[in-house]
Amino acid sequence: MSFRTASLQLAKVAAARQIVSKRALSVLASSAVRRPAFNASVRNLNISRGIKTINFGGTQEVVHERADWPREKLLDYFKNDTLALIGYGSQGHGQGLNLRDNGINVIIGVRKNGSSWKAAIQDGWVPGKNLFPIEEAIKKGTYVMNLLSDAAQSETWASLKPLLTSDKTLYFSHGFSPVFSNLTKVEPPKDLDVILVAPKGSGRTVRSLFKEGRGINSSYAVWNDVTGKAEEKALALSIAIGSGYVYKTTFEREVNSDLYGERGCLMGGIHGMFLAQYDVLRENGHTPSEAFNETVEEATQSLYPLIGAKGMDYMYDACSTTARRGALDWYPKFREVLKPVFEELYSSVKTGAETQRSLDFNSQPDYRERLEEELNVIRNMEIWQVGKEVRKLRPENH
């Protein structure tokens, strides 16, 4: 199968990205040096939201962009607030550092002297200044950003809820805990604003895209709107944590789509397909390097970037006629076979079965050890051992 044209197209895309990335880094560096000082004109900024309606395949949706909330506007909006970010895992790390770099008054709340406390200190958070034990941080915050793991949110809720007074705003980045409150016991108070901003990626990506001067896409939602400003708060926070653009959802839709997606095409499904294709190639006499290159390397280094850059149709156009013909013939068969699996998966998410499974496993005292055992199985699979060696051969790694 020839993908010469695809490689040429990818080279063009990569070159364009490099130019954009350099410009973005230059802009980011300049903004870091020239942090604007407040004055009367800044304080009188109009904080009404910018709105753009876009036709998504025939459906009109409202999208909010970073340009609607420039840095000066964000600083003015949060000038009297303290954002207490609880938990310093993947999202806590990414969102916390982005907020700090944006000049927002953010403090971290984690268990004193635990691993997260030590990690926060390594990132420059200072005990007693912007790093506190969880309860102390919550008391200081006007916004409480609950970014503990889903299982930890459930375990700590009884002790945290009494601290959530009506003058605070409660923030989540996942609808898991409140939507499945019958399982998690997390029932947000009804006398305060409760909002959600869910970045569509890991905390590492939230951070890396922000540092590149770009921005991840995120969804936002409102659970309670007591003040009449809950949606505005969610939009402002969306940009403050590093989003490039945001779209509206509900807590229910966010958690259902998130759990479904990561178990499907984003992680579980794609891993299963990689393994199945690799196994069949190996069983039919193909070498490990050939099986890996035809399964993973070509996908991630040549074809998937084309899809990300300009879409599936663009990727098809960039490939040989033979490759195109085969893909067009076989994708309906894969869809037909896989759709029942995805229907079963969505049902398992919606009924709460996946939530129960996560809580049962992640609340066990030895869950870290058991998780490490499962991850080691993946690390030691031939396909991913081969991948380590193949990646070393890439020119950029020489």
Side-chain angles (χ1 to χ4, degrees), residues 91-147:
Q91 285 294 338
H93 165 87
Q95 294 187 35
L97 291 177
N98 289 356
L99 286 166
R100 189 175 73 183
D101 286 355
N102 269 331
I104 308 298
N105 182 24
V106 55
I107 62 176
I108 303 297
V110 291
R111 182 170 57 85
K112 189 173 183 178
N113 296 325
S115 58
S116 293
W117 181 275
K118 295 174 183 177
I121 291 175
Q122 289 180 344
D123 286 337
W125 302 94
V126 180
K129 178 182 178 182
N130 51 23
L131 175 61
F132 301 93
I134 291 177
E135 291 191 0
E136 186 175 352
I138 292 177
K139 291 177 182 178
K140 290 178 178 292
T142 54
Y143 285 75
V144 177
M145 304 174 69
N146 194 340
L147 297 183

Side-chain angles (χ1 to χ4, degrees), residues 181-356:
S181 60
N182 60 317
L183 302 174
T184 65
K185 309 307 178 186
V186 176
E187 297 182 356
K190 296 180 179 180
D191 60 347
L192 50 76
D193 288 346
V194 180
I195 59 177
L196 171 147
V197 178
K200 299 296 102 178
S202 70
R204 292 181 182 180
T205 310
V206 172
R207 181 61 177 161
S208 64
L209 290 181
F210 175 83
K211 290 172 69 176
E212 292 172 16
R214 297 161 63 190
I216 198 164
N217 73 84
S218 304
S219 59
Y220 75 94
V222 173
W223 183 273
N224 284 346
D225 184 7
V226 175
T227 65
K229 297 181 178 180
E231 183 172 4
E232 186 174 78
K233 291 177 181 179
L235 287 165
L237 265 177
S238 296
I239 304 306
I241 67 166
S243 303
Y245 71 89
V246 293
Y247 57 91
K248 191 172 185 176
T249 186
T250 65
F251 274 64
E252 292 82 0
R253 294 209 318 262
E254 187 282 327
V255 67
N256 287 340
S257 61
D258 186 79
L259 295 180
Y260 174 73
E262 62 197 15
R263 285 155 175 74
C265 289
L266 301 180
M267 293 176 66
I270 197 66
H271 190 196
M273 286 189 66
F274 279 160
L275 293 177
Q277 177 164 310
Y278 182 89
D279 288 347
V280 170
L281 285 170
R282 294 289 285 121
E283 290 161 5
N284 281 275
H286 295 270
T287 63
S289 63
E290 183 174 47
F292 184 86
N293 275 297
E294 289 293 339
T295 300
V296 179
E297 193 74 351
E298 191 168 328
T300 59
Q301 299 304 297
S302 177
L303 301 184
Y304 291 176
L306 294 179
I307 298 172
K310 294 192 176 180
M312 183 69 75
D313 53 340
Y314 177 78
M315 186 272 283
Y316 272 42
D317 288 339
C319 294
S320 69
T321 55
T322 302
R324 196 181 305 155
R325 181 69 267 146
L328 291 170
D329 288 344
W330 276 90
Y331 87 78
K333 297 180 182 181
F334 279 106
R335 182 179 185 179
E336 181 180 356
V337 169
L338 291 172
K339 190 174 179 183
V341 178
F342 279 93
E343 289 173 338
E344 179 185 355
L345 170 57
Y346 193 83
S347 176
S348 184
V349 168
K350 194 171 183 178
T351 60
E354 294 300 307
T355 297
Q356 187 66 65

